[in-house]
Amino acid sequence: MHLTVGDYEIAAFFGCVLVFDLCERLWPAHPVDRLRDLKLDILSFAFALLVNRLCNFIFRGLAAHATPDFLAGPLRQLQSLPSFCKILVALFIVDFVIYWIHRAQHNFDLLWRTHAWHHSIEQMYWFAGFRTSFFHSFIYNIPQVIIPVTLLHLSPAEAAIGYSLGLLIQFWEHTNLDIKVGPLKWLIITPAYHRIHHSATVHRGMNLGTTFSVWDRMFGTYVDPDAVPETFPMGLGEPVETKKLPRMLLGV
């Protein structure tokens, strides 16, 4: 039987579900009442999946041959790299761009509206990380599609590997685990690192990196997880009114 890229993506998703759900149940960092927000989290996941597929279809079609002429030379060199190197370069460039998008979302009211729904999370666990608005997903999918597919010309197989790594990171940063990664903390974020970003306190605009911690360290938005108390309130600091849900899901 011939397996498609979509088959590998589905397998990667359910593999992450099994691994992270089991780990959270065995070694939870904090008590979590999953049933409390389950309906909202399922709705958010279905919405995020729909938006992701829609954005991928739009951007892959519009940007298939849109490489700027002045980048043609350097890009040809990057495109000729071995698969592993190309995927790694794509992860770094995408994460750098998203760091600045994320930072802008926390500094400009119009963009904050696209991001506020994600920050309504009050209990961090692997499924909660999919709580994103339409325009949040739309904005993030621009670099996530154009950089690896249009600029670096990742093959479908390479793109599937990159997707799987991105999915793993999405689960990892929102998981309810307390994991020490040793010296790797200077390079990658951890669940504790990202929990600080979801606090309802002054740290909400800090620890903006979504994969690598180097951007926060370089650009002054780093907060050491070891310097923050283990428990703190998360979310928006106030309950989300039911009448505001449609607007927040849209991100306006």
Side-chain angles (χ1 to χ4, degrees):
M1 182 177 66
H2 178 69
L3 295 177
T4 67
V5 172
D7 293 329
Y8 285 110
E9 292 177 351
I10 293 170
F13 174 78
F14 283 106
C16 286
V17 169
L18 290 173
V19 171
F20 282 95
D21 190 72
L22 178 62
C23 289
E24 282 190 357
R25 292 181 187 279
L26 292 175
W27 307 290
H30 303 285
V32 170
D33 179 7
R34 300 181 182 209
L35 294 178
R36 194 186 80 178
D37 297 322
L38 186 59
K39 290 181 180 179
L40 273 181
D41 290 337
I42 291 174
L43 173 65
S44 298
F45 172 73
F47 190 68
L49 182 62
L50 174 64
V51 174
N52 175 266
R53 295 306 177 190
L54 175 64
C55 290
N56 269 275
F57 175 77
I58 292 172
F59 292 129
R60 285 176 190 269
L62 291 178
H65 304 288
T67 303
D69 291 338
F70 70 93
L71 288 176
L75 285 176
R76 273 196 296 269
Q77 294 181 348
L78 291 175
Q79 291 161 6
S80 65
L81 291 172
S83 294
F84 173 79
C85 295
K86 278 202 297 184
I87 294 169
L88 190 60
V89 167
L91 283 174
F92 262 98
I93 297 176
V94 168
D95 196 56
F96 178 75
V97 173
I98 287 181
Y99 168 84
W100 288 104
I101 293 174
H102 195 184
R103 187 163 178 165
Q105 286 176 311
H106 281 266
N107 284 282
F108 299 99
D109 183 63
L110 183 63
L111 289 175
W112 169 249
R113 295 176 195 173
T114 70
H115 193 50
W117 178 237
H118 186 63
H119 275 271
S120 67
I121 298 169
E122 295 180 347
Q123 297 187 112
M124 195 74 82
Y125 74 113
W126 65 264
F127 199 32
F130 293 96
R131 191 181 296 190
T132 55
S133 73
F134 174 86
F135 281 109
H136 176 113
S137 294
F138 186 86
I139 293 169
Y140 278 44
N141 269 273
I142 296 174
Q144 287 172 342
V145 173
I146 289 179
I147 290 170
V149 176
T150 304
L151 299 184
L152 296 181
H153 289 183
L154 264 62
S155 68
E158 291 167 342
I161 293 172
Y163 169 85
S164 299
L165 289 173
L167 192 64
L168 177 66
I169 292 163
Q170 175 82 345
F171 277 83
W172 163 258
E173 65 185 350
H174 293 98
T175 195
N176 182 35
L177 295 172
D178 186 13
I179 301 176
K180 305 298 182 185
V181 296
L184 281 176
K185 70 179 183 179
W186 294 96
L187 176 64
I188 63 173
I189 71 170
T190 64
Y193 184 104
H194 195 63
R195 274 194 292 271
I196 289 172
H197 176 69
H198 277 270
S199 71
T201 64
V202 293
H203 296 314
R204 181 189 292 164
M206 308 298 281
N207 289 7
L208 295 161
T210 56
T211 301
F212 301 106
S213 63
V214 292
W215 317 127
D216 287 304
R217 297 176 188 275
M218 288 173 63
F219 301 114
T221 50
Y222 172 71
V223 173
D224 185 354
D226 293 332
V228 176
E230 284 192 20
T231 57
F232 47 81
M234 289 192 291
L236 295 171
E238 58 184 12
V240 176
E241 298 179 29
T242 303
K243 65 179 181 181
K244 293 182 178 180
L245 277 178
R247 178 180 63 79
M248 294 184 76
L249 274 168
L250 188 58
V252 295

